[in-house]
Amino acid sequence: MQIETITTTPYNDQNPGTSGLRKKVKVFQQPGYLENFVQSIFDSLEDITHKTLVLGGDGRYFNRVAIQIIIKMAAANGFGELIIGQGGLLSTPAASNIIRKYQAFGGLILSASHNPGGPDEDFGIKYNVSNGGPASETYTEAFYKRSLSITEYKTTNIQDIDLDSIGSQQIGNIKITIIDPVSDYAELMQSIFDFKLLKQSISSGYITLLFDAMSAITGPYAKRILVDILGAPSESVINAEPLEDFGGHHPDPNLAHAHELAELMFSDNAPVFGAASDGDGDRNMITGSNIFVTPSDSLAILAANAHLIPAYSKGLSGVARSMPTSQAVDRVAAKYNIPCYETPTGWKFFGNLLDAGKITLCGEESFGTGSDHVREKDGLWAVLFWLNLIAVRRQPVADIVHDHWQKFGRDIYCRHDYEAVETPIANSIVEDLRKQLPTLPGQTFGEYTVKYADEFCYEDSIDGSISKNQGIRIGFENGSRIVFRLSGTGTVGATLRIYIERFEPDADKHNQDAQIALAFLIDLAEQLCEVKKRTGRTEPDVIT
Ligand code: G16
């Protein structure tokens, strides 16, 4: 194996966002672009010699090409072993599990998550550290800094590796192991949930289900677990084959993009339970017959019922949610007298709390829920949690949700996204909101009096690191909130997200449509940020 040092020129746009570096495939295909970023990561890590690196992605276009490039670079940079999912495939939670289980040094996960795939669409790459979780901002800032001054990268002249045959081979100083991407993950799920009860509930017909894998990574995982192990009929998993372009769709599990599932779930033939996951398998959308469960409510319901699940039967050490996620889980934590943490958007902020044992469950409004079993959010885990819950409580999803609201009140919630806004316009919206902040407290709009208006700043209670400018929050005396922030995962222009919530304690008013119940706050948000006025748009692109 001959090591080659290639001269390169830095790119100035390799600053990782909320979850790694995401760009158009064409950007990644520029000479040295992927290589520069990978070398910047390797250069920024502590000694990597003889260490083990996990490698896999969601199978989108450019996945296999990128994996071959990274294998050669990892070999040249001195790694001792690579563990790669067969076909170059690993869901994000499965990769996190493999890093932890095999005590790897870290992992590279290739995905742009829920963003579309294909030659003209998106690709992404992120580094996860030895706890299985996304690298913290300290690391990502170091990667970026290094990428601005990089002058060379290392690679080797070895042949492309056969990614499809399971087994190990030694090439020079590096061992390359291709593993089944599903079996370790399936084993982990069986150690958390009551599979015997699930099997009975499915075979008796009490639970009927539909899972939409959206032509993305969870197809093989869902088929193995839901169909082969738990015995659900094979038609229970749709769009089960991972495709490089996700069949031309957005692999984004919401009612707009998982429309096949949504149509069935809101029809007379709806099964008891329906769910979807995203490109890389870390997100989940939960529905029941004629009901959609918001991710914020789902987190609260899982927290309130966790004691019914074998792995969490002893209770939760604490819970956490990202700042824009509704306060529903806070009410559960208060009732059970456990700590509740509020972190910035981004799964990486949960890692320290999970490692320190301060929280067991965490989640985000962006269709992410997870626990201390891995250090990523986990789509199929959330699906199995809900199935286990339905099986134990012998209640349909709608009853579980309504019972929860009855007990805790309902945090009526929605998010409006304005996508691909011209960056200068988006920046001026944020700047102008910032200027208004000092004048807002004490002002009254209808029945809403502003209690505080600020920019969220997070201090990590474990390592003391501080993350500033994590979203603009306007909180009202009655607990309602409007939050504005720019997404850190888009690849075109800027995406403005507006998060709106209002607490409704009165059970007679729980069955309202969120857009109607929140209409006043939605109008107020426009009055404050003027996104429609400034962009000439009449509607958000996506409402969740
Ligand atoms: C990523 C992060 C999540 C975050 C989401 C949305 O998810 O891992 O923590 O909530 O992006 O972030 P933003 O609002 O900045 O676009 P994923 O599923 O895209 O990896």
Side-chain angles (χ1 to χ4, degrees):
M1 188 175 83
Q2 206 179 322
I3 295 171
E4 296 169 1
T5 302
I6 312 287
T7 304
T8 189
T9 314
Y11 289 89
N12 65 5
D13 64 347
Q14 299 196 321
N15 194 5
T18 309
S19 185
L21 186 68
R22 290 186 192 168
K23 300 279 177 196
K24 291 284 169 208
V25 167
K26 294 242 169 356
V27 173
F28 271 103
Q29 287 171 324
Q30 296 172 94
Y33 193 91
L34 173 68
E35 291 86 343
N36 278 15
F37 189 63
V38 171
Q39 188 66 53
S40 300
I41 294 173
F42 291 166
D43 288 350
S44 310
L45 298 174
E46 305 82 44
D47 188 13
I48 54 180
T49 316
H50 307 314
K51 302 279 170 57
T52 300
L53 184 73
V54 172
L55 185 55
D58 62 11
R60 67 179 58 226
Y61 184 84
F62 199 56
N63 192 55
R64 280 177 176 263
V65 176
I67 285 187
Q68 297 293 355
I69 292 172
I70 296 169
I71 290 173
K72 290 169 193 161
M73 291 185 65
N77 278 276
F79 277 99
E81 181 172 8
L82 284 175
I83 302 178
I84 307 172
Q86 187 182 26
L89 299 179
L90 278 178
S91 79
T92 293
S96 181
N97 178 45
I98 288 172
I99 294 171
R100 295 167 67 77
K101 184 168 177 179
Y102 297 104
Q103 295 172 349
F105 184 70
L108 283 170
I109 303 177
L110 311 181
S111 171
S113 188
H114 54 290
N115 296 7
D120 296 316
E121 298 295 354
D122 293 356
F123 189 74
I125 175 167
K126 71 170 176 173
Y127 181 73
N128 280 29
V129 294
S130 60
N131 74 353
S136 67
E137 283 191 335
T138 313
Y139 278 103
T140 55
E141 279 160 15
F143 304 158
Y144 177 47
K145 199 167 162 223
R146 176 70 187 135
S147 75
L148 294 172
S149 63
I150 191 164
T151 55
E152 56 186 40
Y153 64 85
K154 284 191 199 140
T155 186
T156 59
N157 60 350
I158 59 173
Q159 297 280 305
D160 277 3
I161 299 298
D162 172 8
L163 298 176
D164 299 308
S165 307
I166 289 177
S168 291
Q169 54 179 307
Q170 186 75 32
I171 300 181
N173 292 331
I174 193 164
K175 181 178 168 195
I176 297 178
T177 304
I178 308 288
I179 59 164
D180 174 84
V182 181
S183 45
D184 293 294
Y185 180 81
E187 205 177 281
L188 178 65
M189 292 302 110
Q190 292 179 74
S191 73
I192 297 174
F193 300 106
D194 188 342
F195 268 51
K196 194 169 160 220
L197 175 68
L198 283 171
K199 261 191 215 171
Q200 279 166 3
S201 305
I202 289 171
S203 67
S204 67
Y206 181 72
I207 291 183
T208 50
L209 67 114
L210 185 72
F211 178 81
D212 188 348
M214 304 194 83
S215 306
I217 190 72
T218 44
Y221 292 84
K223 277 206 295 202
R224 181 88 59 87
I225 295 170
L226 301 175
V227 178
D228 299 347
I229 302 177
L230 292 175
S234 58
E235 328 68 90
S236 310
V237 181
I238 57 169
N239 300 314
E241 191 180 336
L243 300 175
E244 285 199 330
D245 66 349
F246 309 116
H249 301 297
H250 281 242
D252 194 356
N254 57 41
L255 291 175
H257 293 305
H259 57 89
E260 205 176 336
L261 172 78
E263 272 156 36
L264 184 71
M265 294 313 295
F266 287 89
S267 75
D268 292 343
N269 302 323
V272 168
F273 179 80
S277 191
D278 67 334
D280 61 332
D282 56 2
R283 295 187 175 204
N284 70 88
M285 175 178 82
I286 301 297
T287 64
S289 173
N290 290 293
I291 187 165
F292 162 73
V293 188
T294 68
S296 295
D297 276 345
S298 178
L299 172 64
I301 292 166
L302 299 192
N305 291 281
H307 58 282
L308 301 175
I309 305 296
Y312 312 111
S313 60
K314 294 203 176 80
L316 306 175
S317 60
V319 291
R321 62 163 170 85
S322 66
M323 182 274 283
T325 302
S326 97
Q327 299 160 90
V329 74
D330 304 33
R331 300 180 204 288
V332 176
K335 184 168 171 59
Y336 293 109
N337 203 17
I338 54 172
C340 179
Y341 298 85
E342 184 178 42
T343 59
T345 294
W347 206 261
K348 59 192 170 206
F349 294 103
F350 294 133
N352 280 347
L353 295 169
L354 289 163
D355 284 351
K358 288 188 179 282
I359 58 169
T360 315
L361 287 195
C362 45
E364 298 186 275
E365 49 65 41
S366 54
F367 296 85
T369 334
S371 87
D372 56 2
H373 68 290
V374 287
R375 292 294 180 273
E376 288 280 2
K377 55 190 186 275
D378 190 343
L380 266 170
W381 167 89
V383 168
L384 291 165
F385 199 133
W386 267 96
L387 289 172
N388 203 152
L389 212 56
I390 296 166
V392 174
R393 289 187 46 160
R394 303 285 292 177
Q395 275 183 305
V397 175
D399 289 9
I400 294 176
V401 173
H402 289 127
D403 279 2
H404 185 89
W405 290 343
Q406 182 94 33
K407 200 164 167 192
F408 294 93
R410 177 180 174 195
D411 289 85
I412 306 177
Y413 185 85
C414 77
R415 184 179 101 184
H416 287 195
D417 292 344
Y418 292 83
E419 294 177 346
V421 175
E422 284 173 49
T423 308
I425 296 182
N427 288 340
S428 71
I429 288 174
V430 172
E431 267 313 306
D432 291 344
L433 279 167
R434 217 168 251 150
K435 282 186 203 142
Q436 293 179 63
L437 292 178
T439 67
L440 288 174
Q443 281 198 52
T444 298
F445 303 91
E447 61 189 58
Y448 299 89
T449 301
V450 178
K451 186 174 177 190
Y452 62 90
D454 62 12
E455 264 188 281
F456 183 52
C457 174
Y458 178 66
E459 182 175 351
D460 187 302
S461 57
I462 312 296
D463 65 17
S465 59
I466 290 179
S467 303
K468 292 184 182 158
N469 303 335
Q470 296 295 325
I472 289 175
R473 327 185 274 186
I474 299 168
F476 299 91
E477 294 288 355
N478 61 10
S480 302
R481 292 192 309 168
I482 302 176
V483 173
F484 302 90
R485 60 177 281 284
L486 296 182
S487 156
T489 56
T491 57
V492 182
T495 294
L496 176 70
R497 301 203 197 284
I498 306 175
Y499 312 80
I500 295 169
E501 70 180 292
R502 172 167 89 70
F503 181 58
E504 179 54 76
D506 182 350
D508 289 340
K509 296 183 184 161
H510 283 165
N511 283 326
Q512 300 181 69
D513 177 86
Q515 300 308 307
I516 296 169
L518 297 171
F520 184 87
L521 289 171
I522 292 169
D523 287 347
L524 178 57
E526 171 61 20
Q527 195 182 315
L528 294 168
C529 79
E530 296 183 325
V531 60
K532 288 184 183 156
K533 193 170 158 197
R534 294 182 196 210
T535 59
R537 301 185 190 195
T538 52
E539 294 292 332
D541 296 280
V542 181
I543 298 179
T544 46

